Amino acid sequence: MCFFRWHLARGHLQHRVTASTGLGGGILLQEQPGRPKDWSDHALWWEKKKTWLLKTHWTLDKYGIQADAKLQFTPQHKLLRLQLPNMKYVKVKVNFSDRVFKAVSDICKTFNIRHPEELSLLRKPRDPSKKKKKKLDDQYEDEALDHRDLARAFCVCYPLLTICRWLDSSRSLMEQEVKENEALLLRFKYYSFFDLNPKYDAIRINQLYEQSKWAILLEEIECTEEEMMMFAALQYHINKLSIMSSENHLNNSDKEVDEVDAALSDLEITLEGGKTSTILGDITSIPELADYIKVFKPKKLTLKGYKPYWCTFKDTSISCYKSKEESNGTPAHQMNLRGCEVTPDVNISGQKFNIKLLIPVAEGMNEIWLRCDNERQYANWMAACRLASKGKTMADSSYSLEVQNILSFLKMQHLNPDPQLIPEQITTDINPECLVSPRYLKKYKNKQITARILEAHQNVAQMSLIEAKMRFIQAWQSLPEFGITHFIARFQGGKKEELIGIAYNRLIRMDASTGDAVKTWRFSNMKQWNVNWEIKMVTVEFADDVRVSFICTEVDCKVVHEFIGGYIFLSTRAKDQNESLDEEMFYKLTSGWV
């Protein structure tokens, strides 16, 4: 016979069992007469081993429990303080014995957020120098936080988030030492937003808008001055409509539904992985582009600028000829854009419409710059380049929509030719400190920023609330650095630290000092990836016997492994699937063998 100690609340119960006793049979609790208690949510937690004993049919021997083991008999569901992407806190009961992936799924179900596989939990950044942090932690969903105070507090702490604090999706909260009533952050972890539809995703769109807004304000992602003013104008417009909507909510609930339906009828709401046009067009021919484009191939120690070429874009390749008359002959340059990096370099006021291409070649990346003459030419070629990088042609049904999205994005950045049209009385509604990042608050006076925002606002003033949020998200997605999670890494054979970037469809080797892409590998060309858990090295094998091995210097390799496996998992989603998730497939792709 052995004695085992079950810890109950503040005391403990000593209970005599044998080593061959089933775990379920060993849990015998004496209830006080007249005070029955429901123990169905309770389970045993083995603190020393950091594990839940949930298989009640197992014997104590099978679990390896000895007589000196201290087991805690505790509820599985406990309260968490959860900070949503809009920075508000809510208290929610979460199953601390479920793996985080399942716990997040249940949380999203509570908040009516579809596709929970895109989100996860991460620990709060800690900043002991800020006494305001505790005050922020104690505020919940019904309290309106001061925007500027929150920005100041978060700007200080945000760099700590780069030391990836994501929880392990394949382990439970208790296994990762999360305590009851601890504050965690719920965020979109994977930047692959599937089937984003205003009819079903009002809450999801709002939280996604909030996360993208803070990414802009906290300078998590770079944007130009014109883009910043466009984002600020959209924020200002959304804030105005949100206030009006909340004031009229009780009396105009039907009108809000009508607004969503109207927005759906006159707005193409299609993001990566979303719906596509049903218009098939002529499937027997692939559209082509042909025009004079200025081409620049940067080389070391060269001062040569852009040179005009007659360029034709067919399938996924661009052919460059010295003149239109020579286009039937051999091209002077030819490049296949499949798997390349496509980066915009646009300045509306300066009429600069550049496209930066980083094309994978055996020895690294081949850098080519294209300069277009106007917005329409830029939109056509940029859309074609983006599709070609994914292995798609202009025959794809998403091409025309991509062109329109680019034109719309450019239009929103236009300055108003007649600023006198702006009524002076509404300038008091704007607080620039809440709408633009610190960089521009330092660069310009508030009055100057206000005027710029109001000029940009005239380009978006007619949008509905749902359309404005969607346009904000789409503009965020159009930024060159969107959707890349960065890790400091040391590549096998390398002598210095570099950056490894992971996006929804590719792995990027980057220069740590400049952030420029050095080499890109598409997941579509990936054969396999694995981790050497002893030396913490990630190895990825691609087609053509290409092997990439690296060690992350600031996070555990499990974090990188989960990002790669998570994006592979998300790429398997299809519109004809039901809403249920294949959890076991997710764990198979992300868990590894520790």
Side-chain angles (χ1 to χ4, degrees), residues 79-90:
L79 283 176
L80 269 184
R81 288 184 292 157
L82 207 61
Q83 190 197 62
L84 302 178
N86 62 4
M87 303 299 182
K88 291 188 177 181
Y89 283 87
V90 294

Side-chain angles (χ1 to χ4, degrees), residues 48 79 94 114 119 178 214 233 239 244 246 249 259 306 370 392 396 405 450 472 479-480 500 503 511 536 542 551 561:
K48 185 177 180 180
L79 283 176
V94 180
R114 293 199 311 152
L119 298 94
V178 176
W214 282 104
N239 291 343
M244 292 169 56
S246 60
H249 179 71
E259 185 188 61
Y306 288 89
L370 307 180
K392 299 179 180 179
D396 191 272
N405 284 340
T450 298
F472 193 102
L479 296 178
I500 189 78
D511 187 302
K536 306 296 185 183
F542 295 92
I551 295 173
H561 178 61

Side-chain angles (χ1 to χ4, degrees), residues 191-243:
Y191 296 94
S192 179
F193 314 126
F194 187 73
D195 189 26
L196 200 60
N197 190 325
K199 222 168 192 178
Y200 312 108
D201 291 318
I203 296 173
R204 182 177 169 219
I205 289 171
N206 183 59
Q207 295 300 334
L208 195 50
Y209 158 70
E210 291 287 346
Q211 185 163 328
S212 60
K213 177 187 78 176
W214 282 104
I216 300 295
L217 289 177
L218 301 178
E219 299 179 359
E220 173 193 351
I221 186 169
E222 290 284 334
C223 64
T224 66
E225 190 171 306
E226 290 169 330
E227 290 165 345
M228 177 58 73
M229 298 309 161
M230 174 202 64
F231 283 121
L234 283 168
Q235 280 186 75
Y236 169 65
H237 187 62
I238 289 167
N239 291 343
K240 280 180 55 178
L241 294 183
S242 297
I243 293 171

